[in-house]
Amino acid sequence: MLGFLQRPVVVTADVNLNVVALTAVGLLSRLWRLAYPRAVVFDEVYYGQYISFYMKRVFFLDGSGPPFGHMLLALGGYLGGFDGNFLWNRIGAEYSSNVPVWSLRLLPALAGALSVPMAYQILWELRFSHCAAMGAALLMLIENALITQARLMLLESLLIFFNLLAVLSYLKFSNSQKHRPFSPSWWLWLTLTGVACSCAVGIKYMGIFTYLLVLGVAAVHTWHLIGDQALSNVCVLCHVLARAVALLVVPAVTYLLFFYVHLTLLCRSGPHDQIMSSAFQASLEGGLARITQGQPLEVAYGSQVTLKSASGKPVPCWLHSHPSTYPLSYENGRGSSHQQQVTCYPFKDVNNWWIVKDPGRHQLEVSNPPRPVRHGDVVQLVHGMTSRLLNTHDVAAPLNPHAQEVSCYIDYNISMPAQSLWRLDIANRESDAEIWKTILSEVRLVHLNTSAILKLSGAHLPDWGFRQLEVVGEKLSRGYHESAVWTVEEHRYGRSQEQRERELELHSPTHVDVSRNLSFMARFSELQPPSRPRCQAPVNPMETGSAAPWSRCALRRADWSPWGRPPAGAWLPDGLWLLQWRMLTVRSDDSEHKYSSTPLDWVTLDTNIAYWLHPRTSAQIHLLGNVVIWASAGLATALYVLLFCWYLLCRRRRVCELPEDSWLRWVLAGALCAGGWAANYFPFFLMEKTLFLYHYLPALTFQILLLPVVLQHIGEHLCRSQLHRSLFGALVVAWYSAACHVFNMLRPLTYGDKSLSPSDLQALRWKESWDILIRKH
Amino acid sequence: MPSAVCEGLAGSELRPRRGRCGPQAARAAVPEEAAEAAAQSPKRPAPGSRPSEAACRWVLLALVTLLAFATRFYRLDQPPHVCWDETHFGKMGSYYINRTFFFDVHPPLGKMLIGLAGYLSGYDGTFMFQKPGDRYEHHNYMGMRGFCAFLGSLLIPFAYLTVLELSKSLPAALLSAALLTFDTGCLTLSQYILLDPILMFFIMAAMLSMVKYNSCADRPFSAPWWFWLSLTGINLAGAIGVKFVGLFIILHVGWNTVSDLWHLFGDLSLSLVTVGKHLTARILCLIVLPLALYTAIYAVHFAVLSQSGPGDGFFSSAFQARLSGNSLHNASIPEYLAFGSVITVKNLRMAIGYLHSHRHLYPEGIGARQQQVTTYLHKDYNNLWIIKKQNTDSDPLDPSFPVEFVRHGDIIRLEHKETSRNLHSHYHEAPLTRKHYQVTGYGINGTGDSNDFWRIEVINRKFGNRIKVLRSRIRFIHLVTGCVLGSSGKVLPKWGWEQLEVTCTPYLKETLNSIWNVEDHINPKLPNISLDVLQPSFPEILLESHMVMIRGNNGLKPKDNEFTSKPWHWPINYQGLRFSGINDTDFRVYLLGNPMVWWLNLLSIALYLLSGSVIAVAVQRGAHLPGEVEGLAQVLLRGGGQLLLGWALHYFPFFLMGRVLYFHHYFPAMLFSSMLTGILWDTLLRLCACGLAASSLASRVHMGGVLSLLLGTAYSFYLFHPLAYGMVGPLAQDPQSPMAGLRWLESWDF
């Protein structure tokens, strides 16, 4: 404990100047004139809008990936003091002076720069020579595509950084396994592996490929560990558990944490509210919350409600009726009931109001005390403006003849009695006596006579139905289906018995004075100094009764019911799952794009992407790889696979002269580098979304790491004589100079700093399929 | 039946345990060990030594087969109307009998066999199979149903033999066979004119022959070895010839073969020449033979279907020229396109049709108010266009001018013959695809402006720079905007007569939507040639029909708001398929697995994974298992592993598929999982018995367990048999119905 009294404190610094030098040149290559061009380049226009949302704390949902990457970019904006005020609408638009371009691009550039020394470290940890390690780093340094991608406000370089970090820390971990298991550094690297993996996944879903690869390698190593009979059973169990926690539990928790932060940061209503549930929207500041604050929570007999369909397809809409009737017969000759139309209408309207009625009573106002409606109760729904009852019967629906028509009942005095009784079925109930709650309850309305379910069919009615959406009664009770589920969005207790009064009441907004319903804590925090960002004022968890330090916005969320009862369950985990689910299910339309490409184009670099063109000169930025590196990396991969198979066969026949340790090294390097390439490349063949060249960059990075591995192997094992070796060395040097030369030639297109003449540009168009922009005049 | 079961069980118990591991298990072990084991144990349990046991096997096999046929053929003629997909496959069988050409997304073998069965049983191909529910009346449909039921019944003896071979245990085989016999789903699927019984037949036959040839591994190149190996190949060809799902059993066999070769290769006692022989034999039997058979199937398919029919439109113009009755058959037209020719231009993508225009304008607010240009699927005078030079108005048909052929890169105008307007494009949004430009008909009597000029390009110029009718693939590049003429395939609203949208796309990627070919060609100045010269060769036909099939399969996308079956529904038997009848007065058949069998299967997979990993970890930790347990563990790991692999290969790929999926896609996987269940429970019960010291009690535990499983499945079949054999009366939602108590899941709607 007091050892320092006996011995002096000695700090031995072990600085690898290689790494320092590599970091320095990496930084130089990525950070040089980083703020140039001062204009929106390619996908910056896409990520920029999300940064603005973060800066303004407006809720958004990006279906293309999890939020961690956006958050990191926004962190750059936050550090640079960006206020979010910029209109991201056009590639090439000049940045206004309030946009801190340098700091926005800083994080990706740093990540890109650090990838260079990390490549060195990885090869070193794979037990390859310094020379090979330097080679890998130098190749990363002069890869034009990686530079372009890292110097802009894009996510790929961050993804690559975390991919490499995951691999590196796993290698460090497994190398310390033999000597010092369960030491602090062992734990550090193990945990870092898990964290880096989840960061990679948190930036783009693509990160999951590297995660799976690392998991696979870890599983094989663990399997060998289990077979190690020198270890006791308990020890093996500890090893397995430690790995399971660090590589499975930690990433899952970290991943959830991203969403937690995302939801905590973004507390204002924004453009993507609509796809989330009403309950979630109600929790956003300025969104639905403005309307729903002060609404009664429990739906009672006599409640006036609007019913929103839980399905957002094709558009979010509310159950609606209007005085028009179904046409006597449709175009195809089928007949209808000629009763009042019931539709789903995507806009707020006074005709969206329905009154919940007790079939046994005539009153349409809420009694005192209110009698809440529970799961399993039978109700009638009265259309507020026309006072007609929601009805369905054995008449074919207008567009889906297999389903029943839903109408508001008009008594034509023919033998078609009203069938207006509906049983309430709360889909997300916790008990069978659950009360129907505003926003929270997802209800199905089951028709009593025919057991049909009220359902949004998703089809648009023709002109006679004003192109609103068709609502039908469908007989099949096939489990949970979103289009058959409705939630109460706006709600108030009806007070007027007279029709005229009621119409007036329906026309009046539900908006109640909000401040009246605010709790003490909410008002208290509003008194806080205004300099404090509104959403960040921490609240003492003890006082709100919830366990997490909700932000002030969260408090308001928990506070919207007049009885001060928070909505059932914590909103955050619900929101989190919902958000994750929506992100996975939101389908981006696969629109064609001028620069989209197929995975087959990538290996041969048959495609490029023009990122930016100077508005006046012909200075331009392209995503374009270093041809020499791409070609040789491809060759090296093929060579690796061939050699690997050859060695495998030789070893099987026991005729191989490759020493055991170099074989193991060769296999591990291949599993991580060639495996990393394959894992990050082949899945794209199965994807149906629009693909771009930059999707290949993570795979390319792994391929570049493989290159020196193969070269060193050839130099050590395949060149028999000294002469061969020197010759091979000379070849490698020549090849690297060629790569440098190509880098230099493509440099103007990478940095976009030099305006080339049309003939120079034409000379750079080495492939027919490259699209280099040449000004005509 | 029960007495025979008891005999079987008793018989199996009497056998020496060693035989159960089989030569296969021994071979797979480390070579030294293998040699040792081979030296110690007789190669296989000599058949003569236990005549009673061999007899017992055969008796049981006969019994199982009999029961299978009895269940499958019982009430086969019910219902006497078209059920579910019979409407497709019955119809396609009829097409073979009538020799009319049709298109289907599946390879032809299954339908060919159905057609053959119908033909042999005296069905004349006159029934229309229009929609489910149509009565067969006097038409002979029993031949086709009987054929499918026959193949479906054979699944059960196949499963019995496969499991017997893998586990060497009669109770396991019996259990697997019982699970399949008493599964209402398998039963229903086998009783109708469908591809599934045929597909499953080939899959199981391939599996059985693979297992058989594995157990001949100790006698390589012997007659039975060759027989089973080539039979595997034949069955693989059959499986892939029925449906592309057959690919999974090919993967399974491929994996097995590769690991087999790997072991042979590692066996240093074999010379490389021998290993080479092994490799060649497998290439011959498992690659060359199936490929040849598969090609032969298509040869027969094209030879039989020689008449024009409903499938013509899916294929290229050149292909259609083969079919008698098609307007292109035996036609003769000029071979190369020249200026002044009157042509029709067809899009290369299927179901898009011909470039078309008519005397109607685009409505107000949709681009420029000029004449509409669309694509139209049917032949029509409005599909005719005249190909003209860009700037001369002189009549190219004037005999004084020499014939000038159109070549790659020429600038042309396309004048619509009926309305004399030019094909035109400009910077206006296309009506539906906003990112593309509008295409219109413009100008009066052929005089327009520079926006009417198109550059014609021939793709990959296989036939030279000139443009050959039917064969050359061409693109039209708009000269001013640089966009490409294409069809988006979207249906125009009413104002466009629900024809398809034509646009000019600024994206220059070569997609089928923007590639065209010339079909009709009229030019009086050129000599006509017979189209037979242009007919594609057999490899080209084969390639084209595969492209069309793949596109057709990809085209089967679920529509929005349509409730589709998801792969995770299947193993839990979440929801069935309605085969026939909806209302309570109808004769209703509902395809649903026997829930007892299916849930037992599901449980068994979980149990298998658990016990398998426990054993694997124990072995890896170097635990020494007693001899008996060791043998059982080997059966579980190797035999069970084969079946688990089969199940996984036939199940998980569906998660990656974008097309519409149905419940019946799970049935091949279900066969494997039932066999796995048989092996698993038998082995587990034996392991339990091993744990119990007293041998009399041990055998009783084992026997009791197997018997109760058998009786349980049989009883559940008794409960659920109306699903397969048909029910009339109130729906199960109705408490009056006899099935009311059996609706265990809300999602079952029978």
Side-chain angles (χ1 to χ4, degrees):
Chain A
M1 189 70 189
L2 293 175
F4 67 91
L5 289 181
Q6 274 109 45
R7 270 175 282 129
V9 181
V10 179
V11 179
T12 332
D14 195 9
V15 181
N16 184 340
L17 282 183
N18 280 356
V19 175
V20 176
L22 285 175
T23 316
V25 282
L27 285 173
L28 182 70
S29 68
R30 266 67 175 179
L31 293 182
W32 185 69
R33 295 192 66 187
L34 187 60
Y36 173 86
R38 230 193 127 70
V40 181
V41 181
F42 198 59
D43 266 358
E44 287 189 343
V45 73
Y46 179 75
Y47 295 115
Q49 51 174 330
Y50 297 122
I51 295 175
S52 284
F53 281 141
Y54 270 116
M55 294 301 129
K56 297 181 165 181
R57 301 182 181 279
V58 167
F59 175 77
F60 72 87
L61 180 86
D62 178 13
S64 70
F68 183 57
H70 303 4
M71 253 186 266
L72 282 181
L73 294 181
L75 178 68
Y78 176 74
L79 295 178
F82 182 38
D83 56 4
N85 288 327
F86 184 75
L87 190 62
W88 307 89
N89 60 353
R90 185 171 63 84
I91 296 176
E94 191 102 352
Y95 281 122
S96 52
S97 60
N98 66 330
V99 184
V101 185
W102 191 81
S103 61
L104 277 173
R105 288 180 185 159
L106 180 63
L107 277 176
L110 279 182
L114 290 181
S115 303
V116 175
M118 270 201 325
Y120 174 89
Q121 296 263 345
I122 287 177
L123 273 242
W124 180 239
E125 292 294 333
L126 280 170
R127 304 273 184 256
F128 280 84
S129 68
H130 272 292
C131 200
M134 279 301 278
L138 288 176
L139 288 174
M140 294 278 285
L141 183 71
I142 58 164
E143 172 49 58
N144 300 63
L146 290 180
I147 297 179
T148 313
Q149 201 71 10
R151 284 170 46 80
L152 301 170
M153 201 170 73
L154 304 170
L155 294 181
E156 271 69 24
S157 71
L158 291 166
L159 173 68
I160 291 171
F161 172 80
F162 283 108
N163 278 347
L164 292 182
L165 184 63
V167 170
L168 176 61
S169 40
Y170 182 75
L171 284 173
K172 291 228 178 213
F173 154 78
S174 84
N175 285 338
S176 65
Q177 164 72 25
K178 274 176 218 123
H179 315 294
R180 293 165 294 148
F182 300 111
S183 67
S185 75
W186 185 91
W187 277 111
L188 171 74
W189 292 118
L190 179 59
T191 326
L192 193 59
T193 312
V195 173
C197 283
S198 66
C199 287
V201 180
I203 288 170
K204 283 200 152 198
Y205 285 129
M206 236 192 106
I208 205 146
F209 302 139
T210 311
Y211 179 40
L212 289 179
L213 178 79
V214 171
L215 270 188
V217 173
V220 172
H221 283 169
T222 316
W223 187 244
H224 290 313
L225 196 76
I226 292 175
D228 183 356
Q229 275 145 44
L231 296 174
S232 71
N233 283 342
V234 177
C235 184
V236 167
L237 192 66
C238 289
H239 271 293
V240 172
L241 279 182
R243 282 162 174 78
V245 168
L247 298 181
L248 297 174
V249 180
V250 168
V253 171
T254 323
Y255 185 72
L256 290 184
L257 198 67
F258 300 144
F259 281 88
Y260 177 82
V261 174
H262 181 75
L263 287 177
T264 326
L265 284 179
L266 304 180
C267 53
R268 295 192 187 134
S269 122
H272 296 160
D273 289 8
Q274 291 287 310
I275 33 180
M276 305 297 277
S277 69
S278 302
F280 184 85
Q281 289 183 41
S283 71
L284 291 174
E285 186 180 306
L288 199 57
R290 220 177 33 218
I291 309 165
T292 54
Q293 261 161 358
Q295 283 185 180
L297 180 68
E298 295 174 347
V299 176
Y301 290 108
S303 279
Q304 300 172 350
V305 296
T306 60
L307 288 164
K308 187 183 179 204
S309 167
S311 150
K313 279 181 243 166
V315 281
C317 61
W318 290 270
L319 189 68
H320 178 97
S321 182
H322 39 234
S324 314
T325 55
Y326 287 108
L328 260 177
S329 64
Y330 301 117
E331 274 180 359
N332 55 9
R334 277 192 296 117
S336 82
S337 68
H338 197 49
Q339 296 186 348
Q340 182 170 312
Q341 296 171 13
V342 171
T343 64
C344 201
Y345 187 54
F347 302 99
K348 299 244 169 187
D349 188 84
V350 69
N351 272 323
N352 297 349
W353 283 100
W354 298 83
I355 302 168
V356 182
K357 177 177 170 290
D358 183 350
R361 296 172 68 225
H362 283 293
Q363 282 82 348
L364 287 180
E365 82 269 27
V366 175
S367 58
N368 195 13
R371 279 197 308 132
V373 187
R374 291 172 193 275
H375 170 73
D377 284 354
V378 174
V379 298
Q380 285 178 317
L381 286 177
V382 183
H383 185 237
M385 297 304 287
T386 59
S387 298
R388 295 208 161 104
L389 293 168
L390 186 73
N391 176 68
T392 181
H393 39 221
D394 192 14
V395 173
L399 301 178
N400 288 294
H402 65 273
Q404 293 191 137
E405 179 192 274
V406 174
S407 65
C408 270
Y409 185 71
I410 302 175
D411 194 358
Y412 288 121
N413 219 351
I414 48 176
S415 57
M416 191 178 257
Q419 303 182 343
S420 56
L421 297 180
W422 299 85
R423 191 165 48 76
L424 188 72
D425 179 25
I426 301 181
N428 59 346
R429 63 181 181 273
E430 274 154 13
S431 72
D432 275 349
E434 176 119 339
I435 295 175
W436 187 4
K437 297 201 189 81
T438 319
I439 295 186
L440 299 170
S441 295
E442 298 178 344
V443 302
R444 278 181 300 189
L445 291 167
V446 185
H447 192 234
L448 212 60
N449 300 61
T450 59
S451 70
I453 293 185
L454 188 73
K455 181 174 175 251
L456 173 68
S457 80
H460 284 272
L461 293 171
D463 287 334
W464 56 255
F466 310 101
R467 307 218 155 260
Q468 296 173 4
L469 297 161
E470 185 198 34
V471 171
V472 299
E474 193 153 284
K475 266 203 180 153
L476 311 169
S477 55
R478 286 176 165 175
Y480 181 89
H481 200 265
E482 274 195 340
S483 57
V485 172
W486 304 83
T487 53
V488 170
E489 196 167 280
E490 291 175 76
H491 174 217
R492 68 178 146 222
Y493 285 162
R495 283 185 293 266
S496 39
Q497 180 61 11
E498 286 301 308
Q499 172 67 17
R500 184 112 332 258
E501 271 177 59
R502 200 159 53 232
E503 281 177 20
L504 275 175
E505 196 178 359
L506 291 175
H507 276 292
S508 68
T510 39
H511 184 82
V512 192
D513 185 11
V514 176
S515 62
R516 200 185 59 204
N517 293 314
L518 285 181
S519 73
F520 168 73
M521 270 316 291
R523 268 183 255 172
F524 174 75
S525 47
E526 246 170 3
L527 293 176
Q528 293 296 304
S531 64
R532 220 162 180 184
R534 279 171 52 120
C535 292
Q536 279 182 332
V539 172
N540 185 349
M542 298 308 291
E543 282 176 73
T544 55
S546 51
W550 298 145
S551 66
R552 205 193 66 80
C553 319
L555 180 74
R556 289 258 299 268
R557 286 161 203 189
D559 199 62
W560 56 272
S561 110
W563 295 297
R565 235 172 80 184
W571 60 271
L572 194 76
D574 284 354
L576 208 145
W577 291 122
L578 186 70
L579 188 68
Q580 179 67 70
W581 175 244
R582 289 284 189 231
M583 285 178 76
L584 291 174
T585 51
V586 163
R587 226 185 274 160
S588 54
D589 50 340
D590 47 344
S591 51
E592 45 190 340
H593 191 281
K594 189 168 181 209
Y595 289 105
S596 66
S597 46
T598 60
L600 280 180
D601 298 335
W602 301 342
V603 188
T604 48
L605 193 58
D606 273 340
T607 169
N608 72 322
I609 307 177
Y611 269 11
W612 173 78
L613 176 66
H614 193 279
R616 287 170 303 281
T617 69
S618 60
Q620 49 192 304
I621 296 182
H622 284 263
L623 181 69
L624 200 50
N626 189 324
V627 194
V628 172
I629 296 181
W630 287 55
S632 38
L635 277 181
T637 315
L639 195 60
Y640 178 88
V641 174
L642 282 180
L643 278 175
F644 179 81
C645 292
W646 174 247
Y647 287 139
L648 208 60
L649 292 179
C650 286
R651 286 170 62 84
R652 190 77 188 158
R653 294 300 289 187
R654 317 244 162 115
V655 291
C656 199
E657 75 276 29
L658 195 66
E660 186 66 20
D661 65 323
S662 28
W663 164 249
L664 288 178
R665 208 171 57 179
W666 174 248
V667 170
L668 183 63
L672 285 173
C673 303
W677 171 75
N680 281 294
Y681 176 54
F682 290 115
F684 284 105
F685 284 98
L686 294 175
M687 288 188 197
E688 285 177 352
K689 61 177 196 169
T690 321
L691 296 175
F692 293 96
L693 181 60
Y694 57 72
H695 285 125
Y696 184 59
L697 294 181
L700 179 78
T701 318
F702 283 105
Q703 230 184 1
I704 291 178
L705 293 184
L706 187 66
L707 202 79
V709 169
V710 174
L711 288 180
Q712 187 188 343
H713 184 84
I714 293 174
E716 277 179 6
H717 296 282
L718 299 185
C719 299
R720 307 277 157 152
S721 68
Q722 193 56 43
L723 178 68
H724 283 169
R725 255 170 235 170
S726 342
L727 257 176
F728 180 69
L731 268 180
V732 169
V733 170
W735 160 78
Y736 186 75
S737 332
C740 285
H741 181 62
V742 169
F743 162 72
N744 204 31
M745 285 176 78
L746 291 179
R747 204 163 44 93
L749 299 182
T750 303
Y751 289 90
D753 55 343
K754 214 160 86 184
S755 176
L756 294 179
S757 69
S759 61
D760 286 345
L761 286 173
Q762 194 59 49
L764 277 181
R765 197 164 169 235
W766 295 335
K767 284 202 177 182
E768 187 88 338
S769 49
W770 286 5
D771 194 359
I772 290 177
L773 311 171
I774 299 171
R775 286 187 187 277
K776 289 219 169 111
H777 48 271
Chain B
M1 167 84 195
S3 67
V5 172
C6 293
E7 269 173 43
L9 292 174
S12 74
E13 272 307 300
L14 290 173
R15 276 184 305 125
R17 282 255 152 72
R18 186 171 288 280
R20 208 181 304 127
C21 310
Q24 190 208 355
R27 177 175 52 74
V30 193
E32 295 88 12
E33 255 179 62
E36 202 182 325
Q40 280 181 3
S41 72
K43 288 246 159 143
R44 26 179 36 212
S49 67
R50 299 262 169 212
S52 64
E53 191 203 323
C56 186
R57 280 186 194 190
W58 287 112
V59 169
L60 273 182
L61 176 62
L63 231 148
V64 158
T65 317
L66 197 70
L67 192 62
F69 273 87
T71 48
R72 267 58 182 168
F73 278 87
Y74 175 66
R75 299 187 70 179
L76 185 62
D77 53 340
Q78 292 293 327
H81 58 242
V82 178
C83 288
W84 196 51
D85 270 359
E86 282 190 339
T87 169
H88 298 303
F89 301 120
K91 195 189 296 166
M92 290 168 186
S94 312
Y95 284 140
Y96 278 105
I97 295 174
N98 300 328
R99 309 193 66 178
T100 42
F101 188 77
F102 69 94
F103 162 73
D104 185 35
V105 294
H106 303 301
L109 180 64
K111 283 134 346 192
M112 236 146 63
L113 290 177
I114 289 175
L116 182 70
Y119 180 71
L120 292 181
S121 65
Y123 166 61
D124 53 1
T126 46
F127 186 65
M128 294 307 288
F129 283 101
Q130 260 176 345
K131 60 174 194 304
D134 287 358
R135 301 210 149 263
Y136 283 113
E137 310 288 353
H138 61 279
H139 295 279
N140 186 351
Y141 63 97
M142 282 302 285
M144 290 183 278
R145 274 201 188 163
F147 171 71
C148 290
F150 176 74
L151 294 188
S153 315
L154 283 180
L155 295 178
I156 289 149
F158 284 0
Y160 173 87
L161 290 172
T162 309
V163 174
L164 194 64
E165 203 63 52
L166 284 175
S167 68
K168 305 286 175 205
S169 153
L170 273 181
L174 206 58
L175 192 54
S176 309
L179 287 174
L180 290 181
T181 315
F182 295 135
D183 179 47
T184 46
C186 269
L187 174 56
T188 314
L189 212 55
S190 304
Q191 283 198 314
Y192 299 93
I193 309 170
L194 300 174
L195 294 186
D196 303 77
I198 308 174
L199 173 73
M200 291 197 289
F201 167 81
F202 281 116
I203 289 179
M204 283 298 278
M207 182 72 194
L208 175 63
S209 35
M210 180 185 92
V211 169
K212 281 280 185 190
Y213 113 84
N214 274 343
S215 56
C216 294
D218 49 346
R219 290 167 295 151
F221 307 112
S222 62
W225 187 88
W226 276 112
F227 173 73
W228 289 117
L229 186 60
S230 39
L231 199 58
T232 313
I234 293 170
N235 285 319
L236 289 185
I240 189 103
V242 176
K243 270 190 179 186
F244 286 124
V245 173
L247 193 66
F248 304 142
I249 188 73
I250 291 185
L251 288 179
H252 190 180
V253 171
W255 171 255
N256 179 69
T257 311
V258 166
S259 69
D260 194 25
L261 283 173
W262 186 242
H263 283 299
L264 289 174
F265 190 72
D267 184 354
L268 294 184
S269 65
L270 296 177
S271 72
L272 275 181
V273 178
T274 323
V275 175
K277 271 193 204 161
H278 273 284
L279 180 67
T280 324
R282 280 158 178 85
I283 289 178
L284 269 181
C285 292
L286 298 179
I287 297 177
V288 178
L289 179 67
L291 261 183
L293 285 177
Y294 185 69
T295 323
I297 292 170
Y298 275 91
V300 173
H301 173 73
F302 291 125
V304 171
L305 302 182
S306 56
Q307 289 172 28
S308 159
D312 294 12
F314 292 98
F315 288 81
S316 67
S317 319
F319 185 96
Q320 292 178 28
R322 293 179 56 253
L323 302 167
S324 69
N326 190 292
S327 61
L328 291 171
H329 187 67
N330 277 341
S332 54
I333 53 176
E335 187 173 11
Y336 290 105
L337 211 60
F339 284 104
S341 293
V342 177
I343 55 173
T344 60
V345 184
K346 189 178 181 222
N347 196 289
L348 230 61
R349 188 168 195 121
M350 71 181 195
I352 293 235
Y354 302 95
L355 190 68
H356 178 97
S357 183
H358 41 228
R359 276 191 203 282
H360 295 276
L361 306 186
Y362 283 103
E364 199 77 56
I366 295 178
R369 256 184 86 77
Q370 294 170 5
Q371 183 168 306
Q372 295 172 17
V373 174
T374 62
T375 55
Y376 186 50
L377 268 172
H378 304 281
K379 304 213 165 180
D380 184 285
Y381 282 115
N382 275 325
N383 297 344
L384 293 176
W385 299 81
I386 307 170
I387 189 159
K388 288 194 166 170
K389 282 196 151 183
Q390 57 166 325
N391 41 16
T392 49
D393 275 330
S394 59
D395 182 10
L397 292 183
D398 189 336
S400 58
F401 287 100
V403 172
E404 196 175 343
F405 287 110
V406 183
R407 283 165 201 279
H408 171 79
D410 279 353
I411 313 289
I412 58 151
R413 262 183 314 145
L414 274 183
E415 187 184 309
H416 189 236
K417 186 155 182 278
E418 295 292 307
T419 60
S420 296
R421 296 197 196 276
N422 291 326
L423 189 72
H424 177 100
S425 181
H426 44 217
Y427 288 114
H428 281 276
E429 274 179 4
L432 300 177
T433 315
R434 289 294 158 83
K435 284 182 174 174
H436 296 182
Y437 304 133
Q438 187 192 25
V439 176
T440 64
Y442 180 74
I444 296 165
N445 287 333
T447 326
D449 63 10
S450 64
N451 271 333
D452 302 347
F453 299 152
W454 300 82
R455 193 173 66 244
I456 192 162
E457 280 188 359
V458 184
I459 290 169
N460 73 29
R461 276 168 263 168
K462 205 161 67 181
F463 304 99
N465 270 338
R466 287 189 293 180
I467 291 152
K468 199 167 184 169
V469 286
L470 303 191
R471 304 305 295 271
S472 290
R473 305 161 141 230
I474 52 179
R475 299 210 296 173
F476 297 96
I477 316 275
H478 191 239
L479 211 59
V480 174
T481 59
C483 58
V484 188
L485 184 76
S487 173
S488 65
K490 296 177 188 165
V491 181
L492 292 172
K494 249 184 213 145
W495 55 256
W497 311 97
E498 279 153 12
Q499 296 171 2
L500 305 182
E501 182 196 37
V502 168
T503 64
C504 195
T505 120
Y507 308 115
L508 299 179
K509 289 257 155 51
E510 275 179 19
T511 64
L512 283 181
N513 291 52
S514 58
I515 302 180
W516 308 80
N517 72 339
V518 176
E519 191 167 297
D520 295 316
H521 181 204
I522 306 159
N523 194 329
K525 283 163 73 179
L526 290 174
N528 286 349
I529 59 146
S530 165
L531 274 182
D532 297 344
V533 185
L534 299 179
Q535 274 185 15
S537 60
F538 178 70
E540 280 175 301
I541 300 177
L542 197 64
L543 193 69
E544 182 180 344
S545 58
H546 276 84
M547 299 305 288
V548 173
M549 270 191 286
I550 289 169
R551 251 180 283 141
N553 256 319
N554 290 342
L556 294 175
K557 287 275 157 62
K559 292 181 199 103
D560 279 350
N561 293 311
E562 198 178 24
F563 189 85
T564 49
S565 180
K566 304 274 185 327
W568 64 264
H569 290 170
W570 304 339
I572 55 175
N573 208 11
Y574 178 72
Q575 193 171 51
L577 261 175
R578 220 181 263 126
F579 259 45
S580 145
I582 302 175
N583 297 325
D584 46 3
T585 51
D586 296 341
F587 184 89
R588 297 190 311 276
V589 177
Y590 190 69
L591 174 72
L592 184 77
N594 181 340
M596 296 299 285
V597 173
W598 284 54
W599 293 341
L600 183 69
N601 283 345
L602 198 63
L603 176 73
S604 305
I605 288 169
L607 264 182
Y608 178 81
L609 290 177
L610 191 73
S611 54
S613 38
V614 166
I615 293 174
V617 167
V619 171
Q620 180 79 359
R621 286 298 294 162
H624 289 287
L625 304 172
E628 259 174 79
V629 179
E630 173 82 42
L632 288 174
Q634 286 300 330
V635 167
L636 203 60
L637 285 187
R638 293 187 193 289
Q642 285 262 10
L643 296 173
L644 186 76
L645 178 71
W647 173 77
L649 276 176
H650 283 88
Y651 178 45
F652 290 111
F654 285 105
F655 283 94
L656 296 176
M657 286 187 196
R659 60 163 276 172
V660 188
L661 297 173
Y662 297 103
F663 179 52
H664 71 273
H665 288 153
Y666 183 66
F667 278 84
M670 186 267 171
L671 296 178
F672 285 95
S673 109
S674 299
M675 290 193 280
L676 180 65
T677 309
I679 289 197
L680 177 91
W681 284 97
D682 177 56
T683 318
L684 281 189
L685 286 169
R686 275 173 200 270
L687 279 174
C688 277
C690 281
L692 296 168
S695 64
S696 64
L697 184 63
S699 66
R700 244 179 257 154
V701 165
H702 175 241
M703 212 153 59
V706 173
L707 259 183
S708 55
L709 282 173
L710 283 178
L711 292 179
T713 38
Y715 178 66
S716 63
F717 176 67
Y718 166 73
L719 286 179
F720 283 95
H721 76 272
L723 291 183
Y725 291 131
M727 349 167 227
V728 187
L731 299 170
Q733 281 98 324
D734 193 340
Q736 304 291 313
S737 156
M739 302 300 286
L742 294 174
R743 198 162 165 258
W744 295 345
L745 288 186
E746 273 219 355
S747 47
W748 298 347
D749 37 2
F750 44 77

